């Protein structure tokens, strides 16, 4: 199923789903700013789980330092981080083979950042559309250096494990371009073949709208969380922005609110949103919202049940992060040693 979104997908080198996932190295991650939502689930989580089941090697970063890119205080960081891990496991990630770790637990990531920063110009960072968008939604009055250099941090997160595939939402494509640029320039300057050029992997729903018709985001009050209960889901869907036209049609550009809801129900039921619109016909927004609520609740029921079980054992979740940090540190230290050696750095002696 190919889904059209309100915003066109930019022309970038983003990969289609690989023919042979086994042995591929995959890196993805999320900021612990709140519970994961349906945008994450259909945007990247399902691809992560599918890749893992087909034999890819997964690294998943809980990007805790990156929380303070757009706000002064990282609120309830430990709780949000553990909840991310619960969401990962509930949706099917297997911590036995996936390396799930917190950014702040892997110091070598920040050592990689320094040479990487030297490979990117200020003008390039200033032009990055995702940085501009994140600055526009930032809770800070002034743009910090950390926010400005966000894509380079992400390049370190991706390149430390030499990932060649990065399942992300559409908003991350400009960041991926920075990671590709950093990899290429490092290899040109210091020695061919140190880093692969990572490719983005978009899903069929690269930019799922939230209940207000704009990108569903943890921090924008427009998200339906995986962890929400059925009544809360119904309330959130009832409050979604639609329009007064009783005839339901799938028109992402002209009717983003209605289209977002149709897309959500269609994804949950693995159907075509246009067909679903025809079925609802003249039922208006009320019928549409009833359909969406049922579709979401039904689809998420087993995930939510698993979530509740996992949430009862926080000790296990913390252990997953500890084991992940050990594995990630070993990989990051090896890459850092290679980087230092390629640069002829004193620290490599
Ligand atoms: P925040 O508002 O705090 O930035 P977020 O909801 O944007 O949170 P992130 O942690 O920034 O979530 O994004 C994690 C991953 O999920 C990224 O790959 C991002 O592209 C993807 N993603 C986030 N929201 C959506 C969405 N609405 N549709 C598709 N993918 C999404
Ligand atoms: Mg975001």
């Amino acid at each position: 199923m190919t889904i059209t979104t309100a915003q066109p997908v930019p022309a970038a080198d983003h990969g289609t789903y690989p023919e042979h996932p086994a042995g591929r190295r995959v890196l993805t991650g999320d900021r612990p700013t709140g519970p994961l939502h349906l945008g994450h689930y259909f945007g990247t989580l399902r691809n992560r789980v599918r890749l893992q089941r087909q034999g890819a090697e997964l690294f998943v970063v809980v990007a805790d330092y990156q929380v303070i890119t757009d706000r002064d205080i990282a609120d309830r960081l430990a709780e949000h981080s553990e909840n991310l891990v619960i969401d990962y496991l509930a949706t099917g990630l297997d911590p036995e083979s996936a390396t799930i770790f917190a950014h702040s637990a892997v110091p070598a990531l920040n050592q990689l950042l320094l040479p990487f920063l030297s490979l990117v110009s200020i003008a390039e960072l200033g032009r990055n559309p995702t940085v501009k968008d994140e600055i526009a939604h930032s809770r800070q009055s002034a743009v910090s250096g950390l926010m400005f250099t966000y894509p380079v941090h992400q390049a370190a997160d991706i390149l430390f494990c030499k990932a060649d595939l990065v399942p992300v939402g559409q908003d991350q494509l400009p960041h991926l371009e920075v990671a590709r640029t950093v990899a290429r320039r490092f290899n040109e300057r210091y020695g061919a073949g140190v880093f692969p050029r990572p490719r983005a992997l978009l899903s069929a729903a690269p930019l799922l709208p939230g209940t207000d018709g704009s990108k569903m985001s943890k921090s924008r009050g427009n998200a339906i969380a995986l962890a929400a209960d059925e009544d809360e889901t119904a309330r959130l869907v009832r409050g979604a922005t639609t329009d007064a036209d009783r005839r339901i049609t799938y028109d992402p550009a002209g009717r983003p609110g209605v289209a977002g809801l149709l897309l959500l129900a269609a994804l949950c039921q693995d159907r075509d949103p246009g067909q679903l619109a025809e079925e609802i016909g003249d039922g208006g927004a009320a019928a549409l919202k009833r359909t969406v609520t049922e579709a979401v609740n039904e689809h998420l029921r087993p995930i939510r049940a698993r979530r509740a079980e996992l949430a009862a054992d926080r000790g296990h979740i913390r252990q997953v992060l500890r084991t992940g940090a050990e594995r990630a540190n070993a990989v990051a230290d090896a890459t850092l040693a290679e980087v230092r050696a390629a640069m002829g750095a004193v620290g490599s002696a």
Side-chain angles (χ1 to χ4, degrees):
M1 179 167 55
T2 303
I3 304 293
T4 44
T5 53
Q7 287 93 338
V9 176
D13 183 14
H14 54 77
T16 45
Y17 195 86
E19 254 177 65
H20 304 290
R24 302 287 296 264
R25 225 172 218 202
V26 177
L27 178 288
T28 56
D30 310 277
R31 299 197 308 157
T33 45
L36 291 184
H37 51 67
L38 288 161
H40 298 111
Y41 179 69
F42 289 116
T44 87
L45 274 176
R46 284 208 309 183
N47 263 342
R48 301 178 194 181
V49 173
R50 187 173 162 205
L51 284 163
Q52 182 177 45
R53 289 192 177 143
Q54 293 176 342
E57 190 186 355
L58 249 73
F59 287 78
V60 185
V61 57
V62 174
D64 50 0
Y65 266 141
Q66 291 170 344
V67 172
I68 46 172
T69 50
D70 65 354
R71 63 203 77 195
D72 295 331
I73 303 284
D75 189 33
R76 295 187 288 151
L77 200 51
E79 180 190 330
H80 285 321
S81 299
E82 286 170 24
N83 283 340
L84 279 194
V85 179
I86 292 172
D87 284 330
Y88 296 152
L89 304 196
T91 49
L93 277 189
D94 174 8
E96 291 297 316
S97 65
T99 299
I100 302 173
F101 64 99
H103 182 115
S104 63
V106 185
L109 289 177
N110 296 325
Q111 287 227 24
L112 289 173
L113 182 61
L114 289 188
F116 287 1
L117 278 170
S118 77
L119 297 168
V120 180
S121 74
I122 295 218
E124 282 170 321
L125 290 172
R127 278 199 298 271
N128 184 300
T130 300
V131 170
K132 282 187 188 163
D133 186 55
E134 277 161 1
I135 287 171
H137 286 92
S138 165
R139 299 179 187 186
Q140 290 174 317
S141 49
V143 179
S144 71
L146 193 67
M147 165 63 100
F148 201 65
T149 54
Y150 194 163
V152 191
H153 297 230
Q154 222 163 286
D157 295 350
I158 294 167
L159 297 177
F160 95 90
C161 64
K162 304 192 178 184
D164 68 348
L165 204 59
V166 190
V168 282
Q170 185 179 316
D171 60 306
Q172 295 298 315
L173 290 181
H175 285 5
L176 236 293
E177 274 314 303
V178 175
R180 290 166 60 78
T181 301
V182 166
R184 178 173 52 78
R185 289 185 187 157
F186 188 93
N187 290 347
E188 280 167 6
R189 205 168 287 184
Y190 298 113
V194 175
F195 291 112
R197 290 190 78 190
R199 288 168 64 84
L201 171 63
L202 290 179
S203 77
L207 208 165
L208 190 77
T211 51
D212 61 356
S214 77
K215 172 190 173 287
M216 188 179 285
S217 282
K218 291 189 226 95
S219 322
R220 298 184 194 175
N222 65 356
I224 300 174
L226 300 179
D229 65 26
E230 301 204 354
D231 289 345
E232 194 185 348
T233 302
R235 189 177 54 74
L236 291 167
V237 173
R238 260 199 312 276
T241 313
T242 49
D243 54 43
D245 191 347
R246 283 198 66 78
R247 174 123 203 113
I248 298 302
T249 54
Y250 186 60
D251 174 7
R255 304 177 75 185
V258 169
L261 288 176
L262 281 167
L263 176 55
L264 200 48
L267 285 164
C268 288
Q269 299 179 336
D270 198 15
R271 300 185 53 192
D272 178 72
Q275 254 177 14
L276 190 60
E278 271 176 39
E279 227 172 78
I280 299 171
D282 290 325
L288 170 62
K289 288 179 177 178
R290 267 197 310 277
T291 304
V292 173
T293 301
E294 272 167 36
V296 170
N297 281 340
E298 184 145 330
H299 190 87
L300 291 185
R301 205 162 288 137
I303 293 172
R304 285 169 169 167
R306 174 107 184 91
R307 234 201 145 271
E309 280 170 27
L310 288 158
D313 187 358
R314 296 257 161 190
H316 171 60
I317 300 302
R318 283 193 281 271
Q319 185 56 44
V320 166
L321 281 167
R322 269 195 298 274
T323 310
E326 262 170 45
R327 287 193 219 142
N329 269 306
V331 174
D333 288 345
T335 302
L336 183 59
E338 216 181 319
V339 161
R340 282 179 174 149
M343 296 174 71
V346 180
S348 64

